[in-house]
């Protein structure tokens, strides 16, 4: 196995005319590359003016370890500080699984996803049988 083949993260940053910044990720987001993504996102978020939105296109992501997740969480926090909505687009199953296992998926949910989860929870609560009455003494 050639270890060098796997130790890379390809980042392509663009800002469109509407002020939306996009960072396309390709490769592995891990302990060797997480700082590169954090630096690219920080550069976008500290621009004057900051972008209207920051979108991370994760379609090319092949691995995300705990430090990759830490980088995403740091970017989420920094985006919140600047008032810039953050989106993780085209999340591969490996990233969705990591976010679900760590209980952090809600931080990156779209408004539609958050609304859908709330509606499903409300529906489940509405169809849940009522608890039995307390025993009489």
């Amino acid at each position: 196995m050639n270890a060098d083949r796997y130790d890379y993260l390809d980042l392509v940053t663009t800002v469109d005319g509407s002020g939306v910044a996009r960072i396309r990720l390709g490769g592995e987001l891990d302990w060797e590359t997480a700082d590169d993504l954090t630096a690219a996102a920080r550069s976008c978020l500290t621009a004057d003016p900051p972008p209207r939105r920051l979108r991370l296109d994760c379609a090319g992501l092949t691995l995300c370890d705990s430090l990759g997740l830490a980088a995403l969480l740091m970017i989420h926090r920094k985006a919140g500080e600047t008032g810039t909505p953050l989106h993780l687009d085209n999340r591969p199953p490996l990233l969705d699984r990591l976010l679900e296992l760590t209980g952090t998926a809600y931080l990156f949910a779209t408004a539609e996803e958050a609304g859908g989860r709330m509606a499903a929870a409300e529906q489940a609560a509405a169809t849940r049988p009522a608890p039995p009455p307390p025993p009489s003494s």
Side-chain angles (χ1 to χ4, degrees), residues 92-113:
L94 67 96
L95 182 56
D96 277 335
R97 186 167 191 278
L98 179 64
L99 295 175
E100 289 295 329
L101 286 173
T102 57
T104 57
Y106 75 95
L107 295 173
F108 302 102
T110 63
E112 295 82 24
E113 290 170 339

Side-chain angles (χ1 to χ4, degrees), residues 19-73:
V20 176
R22 290 182 172 77
I23 301 175
R24 190 180 67 215
L25 292 76
E28 297 183 353
L29 183 56
D30 61 10
W31 67 279
E32 286 193 25
T33 62
D35 287 344
D36 296 339
L37 174 60
T38 304
R42 184 178 297 120
S43 177
C44 290
L45 293 168
T46 58
D48 186 22
R52 287 185 42 236
R53 294 185 183 282
L54 176 58
R55 305 191 82 93
L56 303 182
D57 183 350
C58 303
L61 201 61
T62 58
L63 180 138
C64 183
D65 70 4
S66 59
L67 285 181
L69 176 61
L72 294 174
L73 294 172

Side-chain angles (χ1 to χ4, degrees), residues 66-89:
S66 59
L67 285 181
L69 176 61
L72 294 174
L73 294 172
M74 284 189 281
I75 294 166
H76 176 270
R77 184 178 61 212
K78 183 65 178 173
E81 290 171 0
T82 62
T84 304
L86 172 66
H87 304 272
L88 300 184
D89 297 330

Side-chain angles (χ1 to χ4, degrees), residues 117-131:
R117 286 186 189 142
M118 184 66 83
E122 288 173 0
Q123 184 177 9
T127 58
R128 189 177 310 137

